[in-house]
Structure formats: C-alpha cells, structure tokens
Amino acid sequence: MTPSHTITGEEPEHLTQAARCRAQVDPLAALRVPADPPWDVYLTGTVFLDIIFTGLDSAPVRGTESWARGMGSSPGGVANMATALARLGLRTSLAAAFGDDHYGEYCWDALAQGEGIDLSASRTVPGWHSPVTVSMAYEGERTMVSHGHEPPPEEPAPDCPPRARAAVASLTPGTRAPWIAQAAREGTRIFADVGWDDTGAWDLAGLADLEHCEAFLPNAEEAKRYTGADCPRVAAHALTEHVPVAVVTLGPEGAYAVDRRTGEAAEVPAIAVEALDPTGAGDVFVAGFVTGSLAGWPLADRLAFAGLTAALSVQEFGGSLSAPGWSEIGAWWRRVQALPGQEPMALRRYEFLEGLVPEVLDRPWPLRRAVPTIGFRRSA
C-alpha cells in the first residue's frame, strides 16, 4: 500500500523558521495523531567538524604535497545521521556536546537553523574545542584523520531521552548505554548499527543493548564476524535470533534484510553511480531505512529507499552536506523514468516513490542547505 503524504504540511512550533519555510514531504503524515511523541527520531553522540577534500588523483604520498580539486566543511559525526533524517522529513532531536569555539558555533547553527534539528537536549561546553575530522576522498574511497578530546563528564546525559517514535544507537562492544533501555521502555523503537570491534572478540553477547533493539544494521564483514557465517545472507538470518530485523549492507551488491516477525526476506541491488565521496553514506542508508520503517512500508521498499538515498549521497562531497532531501529524490525519479532503455522491472522496484515525491520541484537540484566553507561574511 502506498502511504499518503502531504507537502508543505503543518510542522510543530518548536521547529525553526528555516525548517518551516522549506517545502517538505512528511512521510508520516497519515500516521500522525495528537498524542504522538514530540519527536520522530532521537539521537545522541559526538558532533565533529568535517573538512572534506575531494578530487584527489590518489592517496596522499609521504613527503609530497597533494592538491584537491574540491573542498567542503560541514557538521559530521552524529550530525550526518541527524541531517539525513531531518532532510527526509522526520522531526529529529539531537543530544550532543558542542565546543564553544567558532567550529562549534558553526555546527550548531548549521544543524539548528539550516536543518531544523532540535538541539534543546544539547549544550555548549565552555573551554572545550570541537572535534575535527579531515576526510580525503579518492577512487571512491576515503582516508580520515581526526583530532579531539573527551568532553567533560557532564556531557548531555541521555539516560532520560525525550519521547520519540524511534532512536538510532551506535552500539559499543562490552558497554551498555543506559538511555537505550530507558527509551525502549517508553516505547521508542531502537535501530542500531555498530563500529569495528577493535578488541577482536566479535561476541554478540558483548552487544548487550541489542536486546532492546528492533533492528540491527551491520555491514557484511561485521555480520559475518559476529555470527561466524561465511555468507552475509546466512549471517542476517542468524542475527534474527537476537533482534527482530537484521539488515546487512553488501557494498556494491546492495543490501539484504530479514524480518523474523513477518518471515519476510528481501534483497535489493545497489544503484550504480559514480562515487565522489562515500563519507556518511552508511548514516544516510540507516536514515532511509528508519524513515521507511516508521512509515510502515514493506521490507523491500524500505531497503530500496535506503539504498537509493545512500547512492544519491555519494555523488556529492561531505557527510551531512550530501544527504539527499525529497527534491533530490524526486528529481532522480523523474530523470530515470525519462531515460530511454530502462528495464521495466527496475522501474517497478521504485514505483512506491510515485506517491511520495513532490510533483513540482520548485527549487534548484541538487539542493545543499549548509554552506560548504566556513568564514564568509554575510552581505549587508
């Protein structure tokens, strides 16, 4: 069933003027009732300032100077996910610490004013400088160098998170995050990913908070290591013994998902694109899957939408800068339908977009809300 939607519909008063002014598809419009939580998605984590160099011919070589043909700056870290969710029309709340330097001020303004993300659970930490990541993109890959210090222990405490339909959590092996259990008890649906296990244990028992999660979204290598399976699809089925929905990303092959509750399994191939910068693509994929899940779409549609949003993101530089909104998604759908020689089956895979994307694109495409360079003075 195609979900109903509204464009430029009513938004809560607690969103910024910038967010209210932008044309927006609300993928949850048909589901909203007065008793809803104030937020669709809650996140917590570290915000970095990302400085991205693109257009490098190769990896930097020791003892030489490399010139990049492109550069951008944007909020990164957990801001990648928050921006991707907000641009897909979800009311997003973020709890994070921000430095009181110019970088922190820039990231705060870009997220609150530029993207309409609620930062009432966040705070500025006096005397703490913003973490910084420099990302160099070349040959479809990236190399990153980061610097930062641990924020003070009074960093935004997420043990009492705001009410939300869903939350996205990054699980840490061997560590529980109390806010995850608290949110789950309040009815929040938890979607989790995980980073590389530097301990080498790869023990699912170490991911204790997985018991509170609705969905787990590792990549193929992570899924195989955690389950001991040789095949990522077999690993996905094995993971459903621990979490209702397992989604395994397969890189250039696409993604595979299993829902234990319905018995559904789905596999969607990747969309072939020329990748400029993969920074944040995994976050965009998760945001797309969360959006489809909250909207109640079939598993295959959720997987296809997540893959599409990730594919659109890697064609532009930057993590949060490259996250697509509905204008980009709509432009892509109109464009692929107009291209000659398209396979009918491939087009049918994305027919669910027809009832969602804007009929008229009233803004330039591609749309980029955050500015790519820090420090320009505003014109008088």
Side-chain angles (χ1 to χ4, degrees):
M1 182 177 69
T2 301
S4 59
H5 66 284
T6 59
I7 300 175
T8 62
E10 293 292 329
E11 291 188 348
E13 284 300 315
H14 46 234
L15 292 186
T16 66
Q17 183 65 30
R20 288 197 296 268
C21 286
R22 67 176 185 258
Q24 183 61 275
V25 172
D26 182 357
L28 308 186
L31 305 176
R32 297 197 186 279
V33 296
D36 279 344
W39 306 112
D40 295 326
V41 187
Y42 167 77
L43 306 95
T44 186
T46 302
V47 173
F48 287 73
L49 172 72
D50 280 358
I51 302 173
I52 306 101
F53 292 101
T54 63
L56 291 163
D57 294 323
S58 63
V61 178
R62 180 178 179 179
T64 67
E65 181 180 14
S66 299
W67 278 83
R69 291 186 289 274
M71 190 206 93
S73 304
S74 65
V78 71
N80 293 337
M81 181 82 70
T83 299
L85 291 162
R87 289 187 179 183
L88 292 177
L90 299 186
R91 301 167 184 174
T92 303
S93 178
L94 171 64
F98 289 78
D100 65 350
D101 49 14
H102 183 58
Y103 292 168
E105 180 183 1
Y106 162 76
C107 289
W108 185 291
D109 287 347
L111 296 174
Q113 303 302 321
E115 306 296 345
I117 295 167
D118 170 66
L119 298 180
S120 60
S122 297
R123 68 185 184 92
T124 298
V125 180
W128 182 63
H129 77 70
S130 301
V132 177
T133 291
V134 175
S135 177
M136 293 159 281
Y138 53 89
E139 299 175 353
E141 297 294 338
R142 60 178 176 166
T143 297
M144 297 187 295
V145 178
S146 297
H147 172 70
H149 298 284
E150 287 292 326
E154 61 269 20
E155 175 191 5
D159 51 329
C160 295
R163 289 178 59 239
R165 295 173 187 264
V168 181
S170 184
L171 304 183
T172 301
T175 302
R176 280 189 181 270
W179 74 267
I180 295 177
Q182 173 69 20
R185 283 194 294 270
E186 296 295 323
T188 299
R189 300 162 66 180
I190 311 295
F191 296 78
D193 60 12
V194 68
W196 192 258
D197 188 353
D198 292 327
T199 69
W202 298 102
D203 182 7
L204 276 172
L207 301 180
D209 284 326
L210 200 59
E211 65 179 326
H212 305 298
C213 298
E214 172 177 326
F216 184 43
L217 298 95
N219 63 34
E221 189 61 30
E222 292 161 350
K224 289 191 295 182
R225 286 178 180 263
Y226 271 116
T227 62
D230 294 329
C231 169
R233 295 163 185 81
V234 173
H237 285 271
L239 287 171
T240 59
E241 297 177 10
H242 305 271
V243 65
V245 179
V247 181
V248 177
T249 55
L250 308 174
E253 295 182 43
Y256 184 81
V258 184
D259 188 331
R260 181 186 70 207
R261 297 164 304 188
T262 64
E264 290 177 278
E267 182 166 359
V268 174
I271 297 173
V273 296
E274 183 176 349
L276 173 65
D277 178 14
T279 304
D283 295 324
V284 174
F285 181 94
V286 174
F289 190 82
V290 170
T291 300
S293 298
L294 293 185
W297 301 350
L299 185 62
D301 288 356
R302 287 181 265 163
L303 211 56
F305 185 71
L308 168 60
T309 54
L312 292 177
S313 77
V314 301
Q315 296 180 85
E316 302 292 334
F317 67 77
S320 59
L321 280 177
S322 66
W326 287 101
S327 290
E328 289 90 343
I329 295 166
W332 176 86
W333 177 234
R334 303 300 177 213
R335 180 179 296 177
V336 297
Q337 291 181 91
L339 291 175
Q342 290 280 18
E343 291 187 19
M345 184 177 296
L347 288 176
R348 283 196 296 272
R349 173 60 273 159
Y350 295 93
E351 278 182 342
F352 67 93
L353 292 173
E354 193 60 43
L356 287 165
V357 297
E359 293 294 333
V360 178
L361 300 176
D362 57 354
R363 293 171 294 173
W365 183 86
L367 174 66
R368 296 293 173 261
R369 298 192 185 97
V371 295
T373 302
I374 297 173
F376 284 135
R377 295 184 183 275
R378 291 185 174 89
S379 300

